[in-house]
């Protein structure tokens, strides 16, 4: 089995690459081309010298490149995306270009090849604020940000290629994934890093929204389950642990685990525009458990605490590597 992983140098991508290699599956890792020849998290030499790994620079929008490099692959796993919601307010066009056009490009390749499967990564953001909970795969789609709209468009393009051309696609939809290597744009790393940087007050946005936080090792295992399952083409799977925590609860828990005396400094710049804020995300993961045979391990309050402890430890040990840079464009 050879697999092309796009977005391989990113947060979830690098964990997935590691896991695939551990399972002795040959990986072609597509790294977005950049002038520094930076391979993101795959720059770790332990990975770079691995005989199961080939690294290729490029962009998911380059048809010929992706067609060529995926020729001998049984699957394309697409994790490439522009994922920052604040950035999507500023740069909606490039969001659509990568998150939608890029996926269309991959679909065309899989359509003309006929032998490979596209596993596409969606996001719980496609659902917007919960209309009902827990949110199953039939929950209405609501585009509350350009990012969400671009991901809805990509999901629908995948479904349309399945229905119209019988193209084998699988859609995996992580709810908020957290863990080692996540960038500071996400809430858990930004809280941990502010505490590590000894900030007297934590700069935060809205603390009331709730999220179904899923540890990255669990998210990655769902991709492995999808690879092993042939009868799920055209299916979508919600990947959350079916428990939500408010941002405030999360901050309190991290503060307790890091012995930090909590003082909050709400900042308007960190809040989404009112109608764009997604107030509640809570998954119904029954379909993934039953059909995908996904078995998340970091579940419930205890699981969340275990995942946070691993995450905090990683940020403590990698203080120099991971950015203390604040990522806020708005
Ligand atoms: N992290 C989460 O909580 C979360 C939740 C739900 C869904 N997702 C989805 O999971 C996927 C991976 O997210 P992540 O958190 O690892 O983000 P990430 O930003 O760490 O990784 C995204 C990767 O895509 C690459 N990329 C961007 N544009 C590209 C292009 N045009 N061509 C090739 N590569 C390109 C980036 O360089 C980066 O390595 C995304 O599709 C995202 O929408 C993430």
């Amino acid at each position: 089995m050879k697999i092309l992983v796009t977005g391989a140098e990113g947060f979830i991508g690098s964990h997935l690459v590691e896991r695939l290699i551990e399972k002795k599956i040959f990986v072609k890792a597509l790294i977005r081309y950049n002038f520094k020849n930076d391979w993101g998290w795959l720059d770790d030499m332990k990975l770079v010298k691995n005989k199961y790994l080939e690294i290729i620079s490029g962009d998911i929008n380059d048809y010929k490149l992706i067609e060529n490099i995926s020729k001998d692959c049984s699957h394309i796993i697409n994790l490439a995306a522009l994922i920052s919601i604040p950035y999507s307010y500023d740069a909606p066009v490039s969001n659509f270009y990568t998150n939608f056009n890029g996926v269309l490009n991959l679909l065309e390749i899989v359509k003309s090849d006929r032998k490979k499967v596209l596993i596409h990564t969606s996001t719980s953001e496609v659902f917007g604020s919960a209309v009902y909970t827990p949110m199953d795969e039939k929950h209405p789609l609501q585009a509350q940000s350009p990012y969400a709209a671009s991901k809805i468009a990509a999901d629908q393009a995948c479904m349309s290629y399945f229905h119209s051309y019988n193209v084998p696609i699988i859609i995996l939809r992580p709810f908020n994934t957290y863990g080692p290597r996540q960038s500071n744009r996400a809430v858990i790393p930004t809280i941990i890093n502010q505490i590590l940087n000894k900030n007297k007050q934590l700069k935060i946005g809205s603390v009331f929204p709730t999220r179904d936080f899923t540890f990255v090792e669990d998210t990655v295992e769902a991709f492995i389950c999808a690879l092993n399952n042939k009868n799920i083409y055209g299916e979508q799977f919600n990947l959350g642990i079916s428990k939500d925590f408010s941002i405030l609860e999360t901050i309190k828990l991290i503060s307790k685990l890091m012995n930090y005396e909590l003082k909050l400094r709400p900042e308007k710049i960190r809040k989404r525009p009112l109608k764009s804020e997604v107030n509640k995300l809570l998954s119904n993961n029954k379909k993934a458990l039953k059909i995908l045979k996904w078995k998340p391990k970091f579940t419930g309050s205890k699981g969340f605490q275990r995942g946070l402890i691993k995450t905090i430890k990683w940020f403590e040990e990698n203080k120099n590597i991971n950015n203390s840079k604040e990522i806020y464009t708005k």
Side-chain angles (χ1 to χ4, degrees):
M1 203 186 239
K2 249 188 207 177
I3 295 173
L4 173 63
V5 178
T6 72
E9 78 276 40
F11 163 49
I12 301 177
S14 62
H15 285 278
L16 177 63
V17 168
E18 255 179 344
R19 185 75 182 109
L20 290 168
I21 285 172
E22 202 178 275
K23 292 177 78 66
K24 301 197 180 346
I25 296 174
F26 196 93
V27 177
K28 288 188 171 182
L30 184 78
I31 306 297
R32 192 181 198 191
Y33 174 80
N34 62 80
F35 80 100
K36 280 166 80 183
N37 199 22
D38 183 336
W39 293 348
W41 292 116
L42 298 185
D43 260 330
D44 178 342
M45 290 313 285
K46 287 196 292 291
L47 280 184
V48 169
K49 289 202 173 134
N50 195 293
K51 66 175 179 179
Y52 290 100
L53 181 66
E54 184 184 346
I55 293 183
I56 301 139
S57 289
D59 190 300
I60 54 165
N61 276 295
D62 276 302
Y63 185 94
K64 276 285 163 206
L65 171 79
I66 307 291
E67 187 191 36
N68 267 337
I69 62 176
S70 66
K71 262 199 179 106
D72 55 351
C73 294
S74 59
H75 293 75
I76 299 177
I77 300 183
N78 179 41
L79 288 146
L82 296 180
I83 71 154
S84 162
I85 292 167
Y87 182 60
S88 85
Y89 299 137
D90 290 342
V93 176
S94 52
N95 257 259
F96 276 97
Y97 188 64
T98 293
N99 300 357
F100 171 63
N101 280 46
V103 174
L104 207 52
N105 196 41
L106 301 179
L107 284 166
E108 278 296 312
I109 289 162
V110 178
K111 179 181 165 221
S112 63
D113 177 281
R114 291 274 144 207
K115 288 191 291 290
K116 60 175 114 291
V117 180
L118 175 65
I119 301 180
H120 170 65
T121 315
S122 174
T123 167
S124 51
E125 288 284 334
V126 299
F127 294 140
S129 284
V131 174
Y132 61 81
T133 56
M135 302 155 92
D136 60 13
E137 288 75 7
K138 294 194 174 80
H139 187 281
L141 302 171
Q142 307 177 97
Q144 288 179 228
S145 62
Y147 168 68
S150 68
K151 298 291 279 189
I152 290 172
D155 291 4
Q156 293 300 315
C158 289
M159 292 312 296
S160 75
Y161 272 58
F162 172 73
H163 288 131
S164 309
Y165 314 116
N166 215 15
V167 167
I169 59 100
I170 301 164
I171 298 178
L172 299 185
R173 180 170 299 118
F175 279 56
N176 288 63
T177 299
Y178 70 100
R181 302 184 194 144
Q182 187 167 28
S183 93
N184 237 5
R185 53 142 214 103
V187 64
I188 290 178
T190 191
I191 298 302
I192 296 174
N193 278 325
Q194 287 188 60
I195 296 178
L196 286 177
N197 290 336
K198 304 198 187 316
N199 285 14
K200 292 221 162 60
Q201 294 177 318
L202 294 185
K203 294 182 255 176
I204 39 119
S206 185
V207 292
F208 304 110
T210 74
R211 294 291 182 265
D212 185 335
F213 289 109
T214 310
F215 192 56
V216 65
E217 288 176 24
D218 281 337
T219 304
V220 161
E221 279 317 302
F223 285 85
I224 305 294
C225 294
L227 283 175
N228 293 333
N229 208 323
K230 286 200 170 51
N231 301 315
I232 53 171
Y233 302 147
E235 297 290 345
Q236 311 188 28
F237 297 94
N238 286 357
L239 306 175
I241 59 162
S242 287
K243 180 156 178 60
D244 61 338
F245 295 87
S246 73
I247 302 302
L248 188 59
E249 284 172 315
T250 307
I251 293 173
K252 281 184 177 166
L253 189 50
I254 295 173
S255 300
K256 197 170 143 212
L257 292 170
M258 296 179 78
N259 292 320
Y260 176 78
E261 199 184 318
L262 183 58
K263 281 197 196 102
L264 297 179
R265 194 172 101 201
E267 285 188 339
K268 203 166 168 237
I269 198 174
R270 289 166 188 266
K271 290 187 181 166
R272 298 188 195 180
L274 202 58
K275 290 198 291 289
S276 181
E277 181 58 87
V278 170
N279 295 322
K280 190 174 180 74
L281 289 171
L282 169 63
S283 71
N284 175 336
N285 64 10
K286 283 188 183 148
K287 186 175 173 188
L289 301 189
K290 188 168 173 220
I291 299 176
L292 212 51
K293 311 233 175 325
W294 184 47
K295 294 190 183 85
K297 294 189 180 120
F298 294 81
T299 56
S301 300
K302 287 212 169 122
F304 188 35
Q305 190 158 323
R306 276 192 296 120
L308 284 177
I309 290 170
K310 281 189 134 190
T311 308
I312 293 166
K313 185 166 182 279
W314 185 88
F315 278 99
E316 281 168 350
E317 288 170 358
N318 293 278
K319 228 183 139 201
N320 303 335
I321 304 176
N322 201 51
N323 40 63
S324 49
K325 229 179 350 190
E326 304 244 349
I327 308 176
Y328 270 93
T329 54
K330 270 211 182 288

